[in-house]
Amino acid sequence: MSYTVVCLDLYCKKTNKDADPSYRVFVDDQLVIERIYWPKTPDFIIQEHITFNEDNQSHAIRVKNIFHERGKIRVGNIACFDGDTKKPLDINVDTQNGMYSFTLLKR
């Protein structure tokens, strides 16, 4: 079975020096990642990789900032790659109200 790796670039502007921001990543309304945003330098990003089976289904990813008073977290680039060959895939990702939706077709 083929699979696709979806890569999300997460950026953060910290607003609290005493506490790091935290975020959650939901896939199809299921919590899959909860993490503290740890880089101390503003030009760093965290790249999350989420693996999907190619199931001819639509999927949605949502990133939630847990503590808004600690910083602003935003999603930058979203890229999709073939899980076997690591080659980029041309998959349309629709962005609406912080939700990133796409359909993975079997190849």
Side-chain angles (χ1 to χ4, degrees), residues 28-75:
D28 301 331
D29 290 325
Q30 296 292 313
L31 177 64
V32 294
I33 299 167
E34 182 171 337
R35 198 175 317 279
I36 295 171
Y37 194 96
W38 65 85
K40 301 294 184 198
T41 309
D43 59 345
F44 279 95
I45 64 168
I46 293 177
Q47 189 175 76
E48 296 289 359
H49 295 202
I50 304 170
T51 304
F52 292 86
N53 286 326
E54 292 164 351
D55 55 5
N56 284 331
Q57 300 291 318
S58 295
H59 297 281
I61 296 174
R62 180 173 51 95
V63 178
K64 180 180 180 186
N65 186 352
I66 300 171
F67 304 108
H68 293 279
E69 69 278 3
R70 295 183 183 180
K72 296 178 182 179
I73 295 175
R74 69 175 178 84
V75 176

Side-chain angles (χ1 to χ4, degrees), residues 76-105:
N77 188 45
I78 298 177
C80 300
F81 297 89
D82 182 289
D84 295 315
T85 66
K86 310 300 185 241
K87 291 182 180 180
L89 298 172
D90 186 22
I91 295 176
N92 182 42
V93 179
D94 182 40
T95 304
Q96 256 185 334
N97 298 326
M99 188 79 69
Y100 305 92
S101 304
F102 51 92
T103 300
L104 298 175
L105 302 175

